[in-house]
Amino acid sequence: HRMNESGVILSFQLLSMIIWFCSDTTVPDTTLHWLPSSPTSILRSILAMEKGKTKTAKTKQNELLDIVKATNSHSITEEQEMTEMPNSKERDADVTDDPNSIAVSDGKYRNKQRCLVLCLRGATARYRHLLEDLRTLLPHHKKESKLDPGRSGMASAVNDIAEMRSCNTVVFLECRKRQDAYLWVGQVGNSRGPSAKFHLTNVHTMDELRLTGNCMKGSRPILTFDESFDRLGHLKLLKELFTDVFGTPRGHPKSKPFVDRVMAFYYADKKIWVRNYQILEQQPTNALEAHHAKKQSGQEANTSLVEIGPRFVLNPIRIFRGSFGGQTLFQNPDFVSPNEIRAMQKKRKGQTYEQRKESQKRRKTRQEQMVLPEDPLDSVFR
């Protein structure tokens, strides 16, 4: 009987140790030295330990359920916030409706303007260099090789190229007789208009001028317009076209988030004069210069404009409702074609030739009429 009781004790002791080591609960140091005195105490201890294990598992399960409930409630609150949160357009509308609020830019690329810049075959070197300068000023441009319209015509060819390149504005340079340049500026794509045709004169490129101004390539410009662009009707339309073409979209991948140049449009002599300037801020080198600068302008830093180039003059010819054609919205009555000017010059030269021939005839007739009468005493002394 003693041997059987000791064998049961050892078996229960081994079983309890296996349960302790297989369980997730930590075993205290006191239980390692525990030696039960009877099988009844061993059974009681095993049952208590199993009960503790079930309590521990239940507590862990309750903790997991609490975590799951918390995450579900958190996701529900996020969904409610997303449903209650207005979209970007409504939020922008709410911000813009309030006159006292200031809209803060988030720097994202939303205004996806793309400008197609190309020229017609037959352009001279000066106008090709001007087109390269314009591409430098427009980081959102799409370059295309020289256009050969063929039988389809210039308008349909440009519209097809702009549709293939996903462009909504176009700058098209047309050169005729290798001396007359015409610049087309307009909107294409889904809008298909309006478009304007200009006579391009007084062209000076960056390489030709060698000006001291300099700016970062791809920087966004400040567009400034004369007060005439807010007063005259056709200039208001041209102002919108120039803003779409020469205004670099915010957040464009090829643009730089800096504003260090000014592109100016002036209306004088019934023509549009275009200039490009650098915003130059000069810091004083010593205290005396800072004192004089603050005395003159009220601030120590001296801000000035330095011309970069290129420079050119646009003479408006006609504004069309569609893209490269359609109903005429404006026509310049003071525009005279360069062909007519050359014809008048040749005519004046022809009139000079005719006047010279007439004077020769009059001189010959006058010489014929100037005949001296015969002197009766002319042969007396011979």
Side-chain angles (χ1 to χ4, degrees):
H1 181 70
R2 290 287 181 183
M3 293 296 294
N4 293 334
E5 186 178 357
S6 61
V8 170
I9 291 171
L10 290 174
S11 62
F12 274 106
Q13 186 177 3
L14 290 174
L15 180 62
S16 62
M17 293 297 292
I18 290 170
I19 292 172
W20 282 333
F21 284 106
C22 292
S23 63
D24 294 333
T25 56
T26 57
V27 181
D29 296 334
T30 56
T31 58
L32 295 176
H33 304 283
W34 170 75
L35 184 62
S37 60
S38 65
T40 307
S41 60
I42 292 173
L43 289 174
R44 287 177 182 175
S45 62
I46 290 173
L47 290 174
M49 189 173 60
E50 291 293 329
K51 189 175 181 180
K53 280 182 64 179
T54 54
K55 286 184 180 180
T56 307
K58 286 183 180 179
T59 54
K60 288 185 178 181
Q61 188 176 4
N62 292 332
E63 289 178 0
L64 289 174
L65 289 175
D66 294 338
I67 293 171
V68 171
K69 288 180 181 179
T71 53
N72 290 333
S73 63
H74 185 65
S75 62
I76 290 171
T77 54
E78 284 184 349
E79 290 178 358
Q80 290 177 354
E81 289 178 359
M82 291 298 293
T83 54
E84 294 175 359
M85 186 183 297
N87 54 12
S88 60
K89 292 183 179 180
E90 294 177 356
R91 186 170 60 253
D92 295 340
D94 296 339
V95 172
T96 53
D97 289 340
D98 190 3
N100 298 324
S101 63
I102 300 175
V104 181
S105 173
D106 55 357
K108 293 184 179 180
Y109 179 41
R110 289 192 177 90
N111 183 19
K112 298 186 178 181
Q113 294 280 343
R114 299 181 183 88
C115 182
L116 179 65
V117 182
L118 76 165
C119 67
L120 192 66
R121 187 174 295 278
T124 59
R126 178 186 293 270
Y127 298 126
R128 287 199 304 270
H129 292 169
L130 174 65
L131 213 63
E132 288 296 328
D133 293 343
L134 291 179
R135 291 191 181 107
T136 305
L137 298 178
L138 304 176
H140 59 287
H141 77 276
K142 292 287 185 179
K143 187 177 180 180
E144 187 65 26
S145 59
K146 298 177 184 177
L147 177 65
D148 192 2
R151 297 181 180 179
S152 61
M154 178 188 68
S156 61
V158 174
N159 289 327
D160 293 341
I161 294 173
E163 185 176 358
M164 288 188 295
R165 302 298 298 272
S166 301
C167 298
N168 48 13
T169 56
V170 63
V171 175
F172 178 65
L173 183 63
E174 181 183 2
C175 188
R176 297 179 182 176
K177 297 182 179 180
R178 301 187 63 84
Q179 53 185 349
D180 300 333
Y182 298 93
L183 190 69
W184 288 83
V185 177
Q187 294 183 351
V188 292
N190 296 327
S191 59
R192 290 295 178 101
S195 58
K197 183 181 181 181
F198 303 93
H199 182 220
L200 189 63
T201 56
N202 297 341
V203 176
H204 300 281
T205 61
M206 292 184 185
D207 295 335
E208 180 185 358
L209 292 174
R210 299 289 182 180
L211 296 171
T212 58
N214 191 13
C215 67
M216 181 174 291
K217 186 176 181 180
S219 61
R220 300 179 65 201
I222 297 175
L223 301 180
T224 61
F225 296 88
D226 195 3
E227 55 88 19
S228 302
F229 285 88
D230 295 329
R231 180 168 45 87
L232 301 178
H234 67 284
L235 293 182
K236 291 181 181 179
L237 181 58
L238 293 179
K239 179 180 178 181
E240 297 297 328
L241 285 178
F242 291 149
T243 303
D244 291 339
V245 172
F246 294 100
T248 304
R250 172 178 50 81
H252 192 273
K254 293 184 180 179
S255 66
K256 303 296 187 301
F258 301 101
V259 179
D260 59 351
R261 64 186 181 92
V262 177
M263 201 162 186
F265 299 88
Y266 305 104
Y267 185 73
D269 196 17
K270 297 182 179 180
K271 298 177 183 178
I272 300 174
W273 305 70
V274 183
R275 298 291 183 269
N276 187 29
Y277 299 99
Q278 175 197 2
I279 303 174
L280 183 63
E281 293 185 359
Q282 295 179 351
Q283 298 293 336
T285 57
N286 50 34
L288 183 61
E289 291 182 0
H291 176 71
H292 288 304
K294 193 171 184 180
K295 188 176 181 181
Q296 292 178 358
S297 60
Q299 55 184 359
E300 295 183 357
N302 186 15
T303 305
S304 60
L305 297 178
V306 182
E307 188 173 358
I308 305 172
R311 58 168 68 168
F312 52 91
V313 179
L314 299 175
N315 190 5
I317 301 175
R318 188 175 292 188
I319 301 176
F320 298 96
R321 187 183 184 89
S323 177
F324 296 91
Q327 181 183 358
T328 301
L329 300 179
F330 170 77
Q331 186 173 2
N332 189 3
D334 300 323
F335 174 72
V336 181
S337 175
N339 294 327
E340 295 181 3
I341 295 175
R342 284 192 292 268
M344 292 172 62
Q345 292 176 355
K346 291 181 180 179
K347 191 174 181 179
R348 283 197 295 268
K349 289 182 180 179
Q351 291 176 357
T352 305
Y353 175 76
E354 291 177 358
Q355 291 175 2
R356 186 170 66 250
K357 289 299 181 182
E358 287 292 334
S359 63
Q360 290 176 1
K361 288 181 182 180
R362 288 196 300 269
R363 186 172 65 253
K364 187 176 181 180
T365 305
R366 188 171 60 252
Q367 288 176 358
E368 290 177 355
Q369 292 177 358
M370 292 175 62
V371 178
L372 294 175
E374 293 185 5
D375 189 4
L377 302 176
D378 190 20
S379 59
V380 172
F381 299 101
R382 290 183 179 178

